[in-house]
Amino acid sequence: MGNEISSLACPSCGAPVEMKAKICGYCQQPVIIATFNSVQNMTLGDLNKYANSYKKSLSENPDNPEINASLGMCYLKLCLYENAQKTFNKAIENDIDNSEIYFYAAISLLSGKKAFLTQRPVIDQIEQYINAAVALEPRGIYFYFLAYIKYDYFFRKKFNTAPNYNECLATAAEIGLSENDKVQLFDILKVSKPEEF
């Protein structure tokens, strides 16, 4: 299989580590970045070090979905949205069952702009990604993000949509959504949270 990497160099310290290791045994830093939490507080230098390490690994094996997704997280934090989109799309091609990748791919499509200012074809692609994420794993944060799209694009432009943003918010609350999830989503999006949220 073309996307198997069993070991790589730790992106933080360069020590050899197993792919399955979540934390480097030498420096205690993450090896693979699976969520935005891992990069949220990284310095610019650390982000670049991780991105370069992942790019090197991908030069040897470009189809690895975990490394592509990890690189996508770095690009997303660095606000390199087009690069993030490409790496998340590559990760999706090789791992269609990971809801997180669809979620972050959808976020990267907004490119740090409000949904209201985004073109309709992009909004449609965001909805496709979120619907795929929800189909794989219905999580409150996914419905909360969908509620934001339904509110800021459809409701503010006076378009009818089903489900509407209130229904998506109710579903998010019903499934489970923490205050930290709410704050973090808008931090990642780089937009202000609407008062209705």
Side-chain angles (χ1 to χ4, degrees):
M1 190 166 185
N3 61 4
E4 293 298 321
I5 297 176
S6 60
S7 64
L8 69 152
C10 170
S12 181
C13 70
V17 292
E18 292 295 314
M19 228 348 239
K20 63 185 176 198
K22 299 207 184 289
I23 302 293
C24 174
Y26 298 96
C27 69
Q28 304 304 309
Q29 295 300 311
V31 175
I32 297 295
I33 296 172
T35 68
F36 197 77
N37 289 337
S38 298
V39 296
Q40 191 167 17
N41 296 318
M42 279 189 184
T43 65
L44 182 61
D46 285 341
L47 282 167
N48 284 319
K49 193 181 341 178
Y50 270 74
N52 288 332
S53 175
Y54 294 141
K55 285 190 277 188
K56 182 177 185 239
S57 292
L58 288 170
S59 70
E60 299 166 9
N61 194 327
D63 295 331
N64 185 281
E66 292 172 304
I67 302 293
N68 273 298
S70 295
L71 181 57
M73 296 293 179
C74 294
Y75 286 147
L76 189 59
K77 176 64 178 172
L78 292 166
C79 301
L80 298 171
Y81 299 109
E82 191 173 314
N83 291 346
Q85 289 166 30
K86 288 176 185 173
T87 56
F88 287 131
N89 285 336
K90 187 69 173 172
I92 288 169
E93 284 176 21
N94 294 290
D95 184 3
I96 60 171
D97 295 326
N98 186 331
S99 66
E100 293 262 340
I101 298 172
Y102 289 100
F103 174 67
Y104 290 115
I107 288 173
S108 69
L109 284 170
L110 279 180
S111 300
K113 298 184 296 193
K114 288 185 159 281
F116 185 82
L117 301 173
T118 304
Q119 297 292 318
R120 179 62 187 260
V122 175
I123 293 295
D124 291 343
Q125 182 64 53
I126 289 169
E127 282 192 293
Q128 287 178 4
Y129 281 147
I130 292 300
N131 288 333
V134 165
L136 290 166
E137 182 183 6
R139 293 179 56 198
I141 190 70
Y142 300 163
F143 282 100
Y144 190 67
F145 180 43
L146 184 59
Y148 167 70
I149 298 299
K150 299 284 187 170
Y151 172 79
D152 202 55
Y153 187 85
F154 293 99
F155 178 77
R156 287 188 58 208
K157 292 187 179 205
K158 312 261 188 266
F159 294 137
N160 288 328
T161 183
N164 66 33
Y165 82 92
N166 282 317
E167 294 166 325
C168 292
L169 284 174
T171 302
E174 181 182 310
I175 291 173
L177 181 70
S178 72
E179 286 302 313
N180 186 50
D181 286 341
K182 294 177 183 180
V183 169
Q184 188 180 33
L185 176 66
F186 287 99
D187 283 349
I188 296 168
L189 292 173
K190 305 274 190 243
V191 299
S192 301
K193 183 170 88 166
E195 288 182 24
E196 292 77 6
F197 283 64

